[in-house]
Amino acid sequence: MDWNDVRIFLAIAREGSLGAAARAVGQTQPTMGRRLRALEAAVGQTLFQRTADGFVLTDEGMAVVASAERMEEEALAFERALAGRESTLSGQLRLAASDWFGSYVLAPVLAEFARRHPAVTVELLTDARLYSLARREADLAFRIKAFDEPDVISRRLLRMPYALYASAGGARLRKDGRGARLVTMNAAFGGMPDVGWLKKHLPHATVAFTSNNREAQARMCAEGIGLAVLPVALGDAFPTLRRIDLGEAPPSRDTWLGYHKDLKRLNRLRSLLDLLSERFADAVA
């Protein structure tokens, strides 16, 4: 049995459609369909029921998922063990981070890394989902909380200060926020520390715009739509924004990096980790 066909089977089972599975594994949708048909022919069973809502595992498909996942674990462990022994500074590094962090914090570091190591190709993934380090969906990931996955080495990279921002031509802010408008996180992220801070310090302000995208918030704030709490690395990058001091700064946030323990000897990863430590040595406290 071809491991690549098993990998495709698992991707379809997890994503529920050929299109989403194709994006997850970097294949075309016709290739996914062809490989799935080849696998079903090889095992002599129909593994998925094709429905209007997507691909649903049949009883036969359900029966082999656990075995397929064990095959995946062994294959990925094999790949990580070999990758961890590579000594040359060449090949690919795949990183996962939030959109604003990738653009405004990591990009300058990655540019320096690219100049130092031109034979290494860096891929930066900035969509919202959490990429699996065990499945090598990413080699290195950045998050706002410590990693709890098994076999992942995690350490705090930096502590990011936040500030309240307004457009340079904005009206004077009243103490309780009366008459002010806010640009803030949407309801799905209502538990974020900066949302609670805004409610505490500007209880009478009204919400004008919400988004889970920090850069969108910064742009709306720069357009004068409302006040926004932003990471200073992002807010200070907009020349038309000014910081507002309410006597107490918004809560700062830690950023953690994580990578699978099997890659700890991967030379190109070690070189990037060294550069990150060098760049952010003073930003951990």
Side-chain angles (χ1 to χ4, degrees), residues 8-165:
I8 285 170
F9 163 75
L10 285 172
I12 297 171
R14 289 165 179 156
E15 302 294 337
S17 73
L18 288 180
R23 290 189 294 272
V25 301
Q27 297 278 358
T28 65
Q29 187 168 328
T31 297
M32 298 291 286
R34 185 170 60 253
R35 298 297 289 270
L36 174 59
R37 290 192 297 272
L39 178 61
E40 289 181 325
V43 299
Q45 300 287 346
T46 300
L47 301 176
F48 292 97
Q49 180 182 355
R50 283 71 166 171
T51 74
D53 295 326
F55 280 55
V56 179
L57 285 165
T58 61
D59 290 344
E60 291 78 11
M62 288 290 293
V64 297
V65 164
S67 297
E69 288 178 336
R70 286 194 294 273
M71 288 180 65
E72 178 186 50
E73 289 173 6
E74 291 299 322
L76 292 171
F78 180 81
E79 291 175 4
R80 290 194 305 267
L82 291 180
R85 294 180 180 275
E86 291 180 12
S87 59
T88 58
L89 272 174
S90 62
Q92 184 180 55
L93 273 178
R94 182 174 293 149
L95 280 56
S98 63
D99 48 9
W100 72 267
F101 191 83
S103 297
Y104 292 90
V105 179
L106 289 181
V109 182
L110 298 180
E112 182 176 344
F113 183 79
R115 287 189 288 268
R116 292 186 186 185
H117 308 293
V120 178
T121 300
V122 176
E123 179 181 2
L124 178 60
L125 307 166
T126 60
D127 48 317
R129 79 181 182 91
L130 295 180
Y131 287 86
S132 170
L133 296 170
R135 293 200 295 269
R136 288 207 75 187
E137 293 178 343
D139 299 312
L140 179 64
F142 301 83
R143 298 178 188 169
I144 57 174
K145 62 180 182 178
F147 293 71
D148 57 8
E149 295 95 327
D151 299 325
V152 170
I153 297 173
S154 175
R155 77 165 187 256
R156 191 169 62 153
L157 175 66
L158 58 86
R159 190 165 188 82
M160 177 63 66
Y162 282 58
L164 180 66
Y165 289 87

Side-chain angles (χ1 to χ4, degrees), residues 100 160-165 194 214 229-232 249-253:
W100 72 267
M160 177 63 66
Y162 282 58
L164 180 66
Y165 289 87
D194 53 287
R214 290 287 190 187
V229 173
L230 301 168
V232 296
S252 57
R253 301 296 302 271

Side-chain angles (χ1 to χ4, degrees), residues 153-276:
I153 297 173
S154 175
R155 77 165 187 256
R156 191 169 62 153
L157 175 66
L158 58 86
R159 190 165 188 82
M160 177 63 66
Y162 282 58
L164 180 66
Y165 289 87
S167 61
R172 187 173 179 179
L173 178 63
R174 295 183 184 180
K175 203 166 201 179
D176 61 359
R178 198 177 303 275
R181 286 153 59 83
L182 301 178
V183 171
T184 186
M185 300 300 292
N186 62 7
F189 293 87
M192 297 284 276
D194 53 287
V195 177
W197 185 89
L198 280 171
K199 290 177 180 177
K200 173 185 173 183
H201 288 275
L202 301 173
H204 297 293
T206 60
V207 175
F209 176 82
T210 68
S211 175
N212 65 343
N213 185 297
R214 290 287 190 187
E215 186 170 2
Q217 293 176 23
R219 293 191 179 279
M220 292 296 280
C221 182
E223 291 288 339
I225 302 306
L227 305 165
V229 173
L230 301 168
V232 296
L234 173 59
D236 287 358
F238 285 73
T240 60
L241 291 181
R242 60 187 174 93
R243 296 192 197 184
I244 303 294
D245 184 5
L246 297 184
E248 176 188 334
S252 57
R253 301 296 302 271
D254 289 331
T255 296
W256 299 76
L257 62 78
Y259 55 95
H260 198 279
K261 68 175 185 179
D262 289 348
L263 298 185
K264 63 184 178 182
R265 290 188 297 274
L266 183 61
N267 204 15
R268 55 184 180 271
L269 176 60
R270 295 300 327 166
S271 296
L272 178 56
L273 291 171
D274 289 344
L275 179 57
L276 288 165

